[in-house]
Amino acid sequence: MTVPARVRARTTSATTPVAESLLRAASRAPHFELRFGLPVDQAERAEWTTCAEFLDEPQRFDVWRKSLAEWLREQYGEAPDRTTAGYVMSWYLNVVGVLGGLLFHTARRVPSLRPADVALRIAPEGRPHTVGVALLTDDFACLPEDPAGNHPAATVVSDENALAALLRTRFAAHAAGFVGSFGPTVRLGRRMLWAAATDALDSAAWTAGRLCGDETAGVMDSALLLPAKLDPFTSASTLKATDTGWTRRRESCCFHFVLPNAEACGTCPRVCS
């Protein structure tokens, strides 16, 4: 599926601090497009949509879900409303979380997560999942020792806890916009939507740690981001060590299990204690 985009080019110099951080982080995620700015080519740019457009025009979520329903019917014979809603909910929030989590983990920098400053790309063929995220502004926050702390686009905060709190606040603000826009189009409930936001933030830094070769460091970052049950999130980090490695209990459900002959995910709250 291609969700039409009506975005103005907001690309800036690729040598800005946050652009350089994003380029380094992108090398850790070869199967997912992580970029600064939008493509110059108009055909390629048409595959991108800003998050602001999604939130301002909720019917875009309906188009996305209809495309997903077509794919699910081809694969499973059915496309329950709960499943299309659960998939889109998770895909959207996880991509925004990954953008913040990767930069926090790899560079101790927090980008703007305002909906107008983030764009998504959805796979144009096959399963219509998110396959790319673009940051569209130079603005970032960092620690006092950051060598780019004197850059005009930088906001310096006091320490790691303050930086983690800022990422949590920026992600929560974006998630609140998503809950307000997407929520009325589905029957999931406000608690489920915020549970999915909690999952996205908790797993973002953990994913970054795994991609960068230090899973434990990612887990520690998740604990910084969600040290306790902080409103509006539904829990503290649920990551825990097991005999087979780190795992977590999801707060939300993607409703994959309601598809024919499908089972609940291993980290689903329905089966994971």
Side-chain angles (χ1 to χ4, degrees):
M1 177 184 73
T2 298
V3 178
R6 296 197 304 274
V7 294
R8 292 182 301 167
R10 299 182 63 201
T11 53
T12 54
S13 171
T15 61
T16 61
V18 75
E20 292 175 344
S21 295
L22 203 59
L23 181 63
R24 289 193 294 271
S27 67
R28 302 288 188 171
H31 303 299
F32 184 81
E33 185 175 3
L34 190 68
R35 61 176 295 133
F36 184 81
L38 296 170
V40 175
D41 181 83
Q42 291 295 324
E44 293 181 8
R45 186 178 299 172
E47 294 185 357
W48 292 84
T49 308
T50 67
C51 291
E53 288 179 303
F54 272 116
L55 302 189
D56 291 343
E57 303 171 39
Q59 60 270 29
R60 290 176 179 270
F61 290 117
D62 295 333
V63 173
W64 190 356
R65 289 179 61 202
K66 287 177 182 177
S67 179
L68 173 58
E70 292 175 3
W71 183 84
L72 288 173
R73 290 189 187 99
E74 292 176 357
Q75 301 297 316
Y76 295 94
E78 295 181 16
D81 284 347
R82 284 185 297 170
T83 306
T84 62
Y87 274 33
V88 168
M89 171 186 71
S90 297
W91 287 338
Y92 182 99
L93 290 168
N94 283 335
V95 168
V96 178
V98 162
L99 176 60
L102 266 173
L103 287 178
F104 178 78
H105 179 76
T106 60
R108 281 301 189 259
R109 290 174 177 171
V110 172
S112 169
L113 294 180
R114 290 188 296 266
D117 295 333
V118 181
L120 309 180
R121 187 169 79 88
I122 298 169
E125 299 178 353
R127 188 179 72 160
H129 60 294
T130 43
V131 292
V133 62
L135 179 63
L136 308 178
T137 179
D138 287 318
D139 297 340
F140 70 100
C142 62
L143 298 174
E145 61 267 26
D146 192 302
N150 61 351
H151 191 276
T155 298
V156 178
V157 300
S158 58
D159 54 31
E160 283 191 341
N161 286 327
L163 194 66
L166 181 60
L167 174 53
R168 185 169 59 245
T169 297
R170 289 183 175 181
F171 180 76
H174 191 133
F178 174 77
V179 170
S181 179
F182 184 69
T185 71
V186 296
R187 297 180 179 179
L188 295 182
R190 189 176 181 83
R191 201 275 177 193
M192 177 63 73
L193 293 167
W194 277 110
T198 305
D199 287 333
L201 185 61
D202 193 19
S203 62
W206 179 37
T207 298
R210 287 187 294 176
L211 289 172
C212 296
D214 193 341
E215 184 177 16
T216 301
V219 171
M220 294 174 66
D221 283 347
S222 292
L224 275 174
L225 293 172
L226 287 171
K229 182 183 178 301
L230 302 171
D231 289 338
F233 299 103
T234 58
S235 78
S237 174
T238 65
L239 280 156
K240 62 180 181 180
T242 70
D243 292 339
T244 57
W246 289 98
T247 189
R248 69 178 302 276
R249 184 203 70 249
R250 283 173 53 187
E251 286 283 289
S252 65
C253 182
C254 64
F255 298 101
H256 175 79
F257 77 94
V258 303
L259 292 168
N261 301 315
E263 298 180 355
C265 307
T267 56
C268 180
R270 297 172 182 273
V271 299
C272 182
S273 60

